[in-house]
């Protein structure tokens, strides 16, 4: 999956008058942020009545929640379950996907089941998970794991499968064996696809975090969401929503940085395709 | 070519005639698509002996099985019938046979030096030796300055030189080249031909060079193998009687060159016309 945002923005810049071309991306991001804040404010004042708090009220609520420790604690709890579940998903999905792609009979055997599982709504498993694992940390981690594991697995698998047959033949002509070909050609060739899977998995993992915290013992940011939502503390509620958005942006940005490190050699591939 | 076709047995080495460095004997290959389409005979009964230190070119229309033949010469593909022998043994892909492909096939995630080193990683050389060897061959093809660049930073001609360095670096005794200069512009192409000749004069060995260019085949080779298609087979083998070295003089004006060129052109033209769709080249209207 190409790095859409940066490439689109460079395409967009090409259409703009020369004076605007020089503006860096972060400046445009600030402009959009300001526009969103304005929109939010307008909605809060003119439409929202008591349901949509103003940006100012939300900011005050945020300060309060940070000061009394509620937000940092909840964030820490949520991040702990998220990173545990997500880390486990990556630790299982990447090796398994590589094995499935590298060892065709295994891939051909398992991919039906993987696709079937990927198409099943993961909420369907939650009652079962609660029965077996209860409402605590393990249950939450399992829910996140189940959400994040599939996109990482499928992307890794297809990444290896779609490795360049011409490069494989070239490596074979140098005398490289199957293992060396896997290590030198297939693995680096599927790296980009793996990172794209990690990005997708992170998104689903974060959503699963909220789901887990709503359906099992009410804790973390998802727990706050439930508490504030049920008691109509909308300013606090918005703080939590924004915290989620910020975490999502940070995690995705981190993975995107990993991707752009690979850009040195990938830029040309994308232009060519 | 009066070799008797006695297969190499345990006593095979005891023959008084030195076996050819490369022997292709009665080779056929039919591709059978899995989905039930008709099988396609790419090569039919191809035989060819190449003695050591010989530069052979293969010339023939598109689809006549040149690449297929080359892939069998280093063991990437097994023949259905007949056998291919390299130094008396069935070929196995490895550092003793260099392969320059029709496309560059460079790893985009490795530097130029890393790409050349790939050809050396099955040779048993140490890391330091591989590095030194890669740099030496990059110097030979004039790319020292780009050792730490990545493939996308190079022009097409430079990439082809990297592919050439990668194939040469293991110092193979057989070099198989599949239309290596086809994608280059005319000037670069001629420079590369001279470069290749210079390298080859230094360190000979067998070169099998596939090309579509009659001129290129004559300038480079000791022998030219002319192939025809449907099914792919050898039409004729011609010797090139031009003096070597050829890289410091222009051979294009010599009488032997002109005559051979004319002859080959006539042959290929006849092949193309015979297989052309009606209407193409106006052959549909031709009487008879
Ligand atoms: N793996 C394959 N499966 C099926 N058919 C194949 C395969 N490889 C080659 N062929 C067929 O065999 C014939 C010869 O192919 P080959 O690539 O050897 O031709 P060529 O002489 O190298 O042509 P060109 O000059 O265009 O490169 C072609 O008709 C091609 O369609
Ligand atoms: Mg070919």
């Amino acid at each position: 999956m190409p790095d859409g945002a940066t490439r689109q923005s460079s395409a967009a810049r090409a259409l703009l008058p020369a004076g605007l071309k020089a503006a860096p991306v972060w400046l445009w991001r600030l402009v959009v942020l300001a526009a969103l804040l304005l929109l939010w404010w307008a909605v809060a004042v003119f439409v929202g009545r008591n349901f949509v708090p103003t940006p100012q009220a939300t900011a005050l609520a945020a300060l309060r929640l940070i000061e009394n420790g509620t937000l940092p604690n909840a964030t820490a709890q949520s991040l702990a379950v998220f990173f545990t579940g997500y880390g486990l998903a990556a630790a299982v999905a990447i090796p398994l996907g590589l094995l499935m792609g590298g060892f065709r009979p295994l891939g051909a055997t398992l991919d039906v089941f993987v696709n079937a599982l990927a198409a099943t709504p993961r909420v369907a498993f939650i009652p079962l998970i609660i029965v077996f694992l209860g409402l605590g940390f393990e249950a939450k981690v399992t829910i996140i794991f189940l959400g994040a594991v599939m996109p990482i697995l499928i992307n890794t698998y297809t990444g290896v499968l779609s490795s360049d047959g011409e490069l494989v033949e070239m490596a074979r002509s140098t005398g490289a064996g199957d293992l060396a070909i896997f290590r030198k050609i297939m693995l680096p060739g599927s790296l980009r696809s793996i990172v794209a899977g990690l990005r997708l998995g992170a998104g689903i993992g974060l959503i699963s975090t909220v789901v887990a915290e709503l359906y099992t013992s009410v804790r973390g940011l998802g727990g706050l969401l439930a508490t504030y939502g049920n008691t109509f503390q909308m300013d606090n509620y918005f703080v939590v929503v924004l915290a989620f958005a910020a975490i999502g942006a940070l995690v995705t940005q981190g993975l995107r940085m990993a991707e752009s490190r690979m850009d040195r050699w990938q830029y040309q591939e994308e232009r060519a395709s | 070519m009066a070799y008797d076709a006695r297969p190499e047995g345990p006593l095979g080495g005891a023959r008084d005639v030195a076996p050819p460095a490369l022997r292709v004997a009665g080779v056929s290959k039919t591709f059978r698509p899995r989905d039930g389409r008709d099988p396609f005979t790419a090569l039919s009964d191809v035989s060819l002996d190449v003695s050591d230190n010989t530069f052979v070119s293969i010339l023939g229309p598109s689809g006549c099985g040149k690449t297929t033949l080359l892939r069998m010469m280093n063991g990437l593909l097994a023949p259905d019938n007949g056998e291919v022998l390299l130094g008396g043994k069935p070929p196995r892909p490895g550092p003793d046979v260099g392969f320059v492909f029709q496309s560059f096939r460079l790893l985009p995630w490795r530097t130029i030096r890393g790409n050349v080193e790939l050809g050396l990683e099955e040779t048993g050389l140490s890391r330091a030796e591989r590095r030194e060897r890669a740099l030496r061959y990059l110097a030979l093809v004039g790319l020292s300055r780009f050792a730490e660049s990545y493939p996308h930073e190079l022009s097409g001609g430079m990439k082809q030189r990297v592919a050439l360095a990668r194939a040469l670096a293991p110092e193979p005794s057989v070099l198989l080249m599949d239309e290596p200069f086809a994608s280059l512009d005319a000037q670069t192409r001629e420079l590369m031909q001279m470069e290749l000749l210079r390298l080859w004069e230094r360190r000979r060995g067998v070169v099998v060079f596939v090309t579509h260019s009659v001129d290129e085949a004559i300038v480079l080779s000791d022998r030219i193998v002319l192939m025809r298609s449907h099914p792919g087979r050898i039409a004729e083998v011609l010797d090139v009687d031009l003096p070597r070295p050829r890289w410091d003089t222009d051979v294009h004006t010599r009488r032997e060159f002109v005559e051979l060129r004319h002859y080959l052109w006539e042959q290929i033209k006849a092949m193309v016309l015979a297989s052309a769709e009606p209407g193409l080249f106006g052959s549909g209207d031709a009487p008879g």
Side-chain angles (χ1 to χ4, degrees), chain A residues 165-167 169-177 180 184-185 188-189 263-265 267-269 271, chain B residues 71 74 76 93-95 97 99 101 103 105-110 118-119 121-122 150 152 159 166:
Chain A
E166 293 203 333
L167 291 182
E169 189 190 47
M170 182 275 297
R172 183 146 293 165
S173 82
T174 70
K184 293 176 191 173
I185 312 291
D263 252 14
R264 276 187 81 170
W265 48 269
Y267 180 53
Q268 178 249 2
E269 276 194 320
R271 251 191 329 196
Chain B
R71 290 173 72 213
N74 84 334
L76 283 172
V97 188
F99 207 123
F101 294 89
S103 45
R105 305 199 185 181
L106 303 181
L107 305 183
W109 53 83
R110 283 205 188 190
L118 184 81
E121 284 165 12
E122 306 295 325
Y150 285 83
H152 73 264
K159 284 182 203 169
R166 178 179 62 198

Side-chain angles (χ1 to χ4, degrees), chain A residues 78-151:
Chain A
S78 290
L79 286 182
V81 284
F82 167 70
F83 277 114
T84 310
Y86 180 59
L88 281 175
V92 169
I94 294 176
L96 185 59
L98 292 176
L99 272 178
M100 285 172 61
F103 187 57
R104 291 292 171 92
L106 183 71
T109 309
L110 291 186
D111 66 4
V112 184
F113 301 102
V114 168
N115 287 325
L117 195 58
T120 316
R122 251 44 60 78
V123 260
F125 296 110
I126 291 179
L128 212 61
I129 292 168
I130 292 174
V131 168
F132 282 106
L133 296 171
L135 299 168
F137 186 76
E138 292 85 356
K140 291 189 176 69
V141 166
T142 307
I143 292 169
I144 294 158
F145 172 86
L146 282 180
V149 77
M150 284 305 154

Side-chain angles (χ1 to χ4, degrees), chain B residues 174-194:
Chain B
V174 177
L175 186 59
L176 308 173
M177 306 180 79
D178 194 359
E179 301 187 39
F181 306 149
S183 56
L184 307 183
D185 66 86
Q187 282 80 36
T188 315
R189 186 169 187 154
E190 265 188 49
L191 288 175
M192 290 292 294
Q193 290 168 4
M194 296 307 112

Side-chain angles (χ1 to χ4, degrees), chain A residues 150-168:
Chain A
M150 284 305 154
I152 306 177
L153 177 59
I154 290 173
N155 264 51
T156 306
Y157 176 52
T158 47
V160 179
L161 276 193
S162 57
S163 55
D164 187 335
E166 293 203 333
L167 291 182
V168 168

Side-chain angles (χ1 to χ4, degrees), chain B residues 20-23 48-52 54-56 206-208 223:
Chain B
L22 169 64
R23 157 167 285 189
L48 176 70
D49 280 344
V50 182
S51 45
D52 207 3
T54 306
F55 199 122
V56 184
V206 172
V207 179
V208 182
R223 290 166 74 204

